Amino acid sequence: MRRGIVLFITLGILLLLSSIIFLFLQQSGTLKKSVGSNIDVVQANLLLSDMSGFLKLQNFTQDDVFYGSGIPVALDLDRISGTIALSSAQSRIDINALLGEAKKSQKALQALLQWMDDIHVKDPSLLMALMMDTLDSDLYERARGSEIRLQKPWFQNGTIANSRAMEEIVSTYRTLSGDNDLTLQTLEETFGYEDPRFDLNYATIEQLRLLYPDFPSVVIEKIASHETRFAKPEDIAIDETSRLQLPVPHFGITPTFKSDTLAIHVKFSTTHECSGAIAFWMGLKNKKITHISLSPVVCK
């Protein structure tokens, strides 16, 4: 069943991927100069003609997403190869909602600081100050150097909008603290940027400890085991007190057991020694593509 679901999803995403790669190849001046023939583009374009109609016929279920997530799938399109990883777009905790709550709630603040301590952030107070100073719109520094906009006027305050903003926070933190162990990937394994809903079917132990700091470890581990997909709190074999708390909003985050959007990340390379990455969201019902991001193409 698991293998069949992964293969089924791979076919659908493959067709979608081909259309995006086609546009990507067409728009990339760097890649155009590196590619001696148009075979890459032609091959992607052939699949593009079938993509739209195919996706309209597919009905991705919650089980499709759940059992297909977390398993990178290899692609081989002759001159284009790569891997696809998919998950729920509601698989990360909205950092802006959490920080907003931490400004008002000491319990939320302590939970976030404890999370930083658990992942071995060397200077949690500085990282917190950098995040908080990005979240608010004033130029008051909570710690020396924590107001990034004073040094980089182009940096936008008011929200941590995306990976680029978080990467700037991480870079500044590393420079000020000397802590080179913290990476953008570490933060983005836990946090996203714009959806206060959080599907507990995809929760990690670290995320659950952050949202439910009072839960016993045995309860956290049971929820994070993900042996099957939970459709409701009653599906989880934990104590009644914990079960009643599960669906209650915590620290600005709304727990859920249902996702409405796929999050897809693709890494690819070509036979002309060029590589890149694509990430985007796709609605499960309306098939709408949003949040498209492209990494710079690197050619050897």
Side-chain angles (χ1 to χ4, degrees):
M1 173 181 173
R2 193 178 181 91
R3 178 177 173 79
I5 289 173
V6 172
L7 292 175
F8 173 78
I9 293 178
T10 302
L11 178 59
I13 302 306
L14 178 59
L15 293 171
L16 179 60
L17 166 67
S18 66
S19 68
I20 296 179
I21 287 182
F22 171 69
L23 295 174
F24 194 46
L25 294 174
Q26 291 286 65
Q27 295 299 321
S28 174
T30 302
L31 194 54
K32 280 181 180 179
K33 295 175 183 178
S34 303
V35 175
S37 73
N38 290 324
I39 295 178
D40 292 356
V41 175
V42 171
Q43 185 180 44
N45 196 28
L46 287 173
L47 287 174
L48 172 61
S49 62
D50 290 332
M51 182 275 298
S52 179
F54 179 87
L55 286 179
K56 289 179 180 178
L57 296 175
Q58 305 312 309
N59 294 308
F60 292 94
T61 69
Q62 296 295 315
D63 279 346
D64 291 338
V65 183
F66 178 75
Y67 290 109
S69 67
I71 305 176
V73 178
L75 289 176
D76 187 358
L77 299 179
D78 189 17
R79 289 177 177 268
I80 301 174
S81 61
T83 57
I84 296 175
L86 63 87
S87 185
S88 164
Q90 284 81 51
S91 65
R92 298 185 297 171
I93 294 171
D94 181 358
I95 185 62
N96 293 291
L98 181 61
L99 287 172
E101 199 67 19
K103 290 178 69 174
K104 303 180 293 183
S105 166
Q106 185 65 23
K107 187 174 182 179
L109 176 62
Q110 288 303 317
L112 187 50
L113 288 171
Q114 181 60 54
W115 175 84
M116 292 181 183
D117 187 61
D118 290 343
I119 66 167
H120 308 297
V121 173
K122 293 181 181 178
D123 194 341
S125 296
L126 174 60
L127 181 57
M128 180 70 76
L130 284 161
M131 290 181 171
M132 288 293 196
D133 280 342
T134 301
L135 188 70
D136 63 37
S137 56
D138 62 49
L139 295 180
Y140 170 77
E141 287 188 312
R142 287 176 167 80
R144 186 176 181 180
S146 65
E147 189 60 72
I148 299 174
R149 195 173 179 184
L150 291 177
Q151 301 300 321
K152 301 178 179 179
W154 53 263
F155 188 76
Q156 296 298 306
N157 283 355
T159 184
I160 301 177
N162 48 36
S163 292
R164 186 176 179 182
M166 185 66 89
E167 188 170 22
E168 190 62 52
I169 290 172
V170 171
S171 176
T172 303
Y173 167 79
R174 288 159 65 102
T175 298
L176 293 175
S177 68
D179 178 7
N180 292 319
D181 293 333
L182 183 67
T183 65
L184 176 65
Q185 181 181 356
T186 299
L187 292 179
E188 291 195 334
E189 286 173 354
T190 295
F191 300 118
Y193 306 104
E194 59 183 283
D195 193 338
R197 294 171 300 165
F198 178 62
D199 191 337
L200 295 174
N201 282 297
Y202 301 88
T204 64
I205 287 179
E206 290 74 20
Q207 288 172 325
L208 290 168
R209 284 177 177 162
L210 175 56
L211 283 186
Y212 304 102
D214 298 330
F215 275 21
S217 293
V218 65
V219 172
I220 296 291
E221 291 168 4
K222 181 63 180 179
I223 299 170
S225 65
H226 305 309
E227 296 170 356
T228 60
R229 187 180 71 82
F230 307 128
K232 53 187 183 302
E234 289 73 21
D235 293 339
I236 311 175
I238 57 177
D239 66 275
E240 185 67 19
T241 300
S242 298
R243 190 181 297 116
L244 289 173
Q245 292 183 52
L246 272 183
V248 178
H250 283 72
F251 305 151
I253 307 301
T254 303
T256 180
F257 291 93
K258 184 177 180 181
S259 298
D260 58 19
T261 309
L262 275 173
I264 302 166
H265 187 267
V266 183
K267 292 183 179 179
F268 70 90
S269 58
T270 78
T271 54
H272 298 281
E273 298 185 322
C274 296
S275 61
I278 303 167
F280 55 94
W281 289 6
M282 183 180 78
L284 290 175
K285 291 185 177 180
N286 61 17
K287 304 299 189 295
K288 184 177 180 181
I289 305 300
T290 58
H291 297 76
I292 298 175
S293 62
L294 308 174
S295 75
V297 179
V298 177
C299 298
K300 294 180 181 180

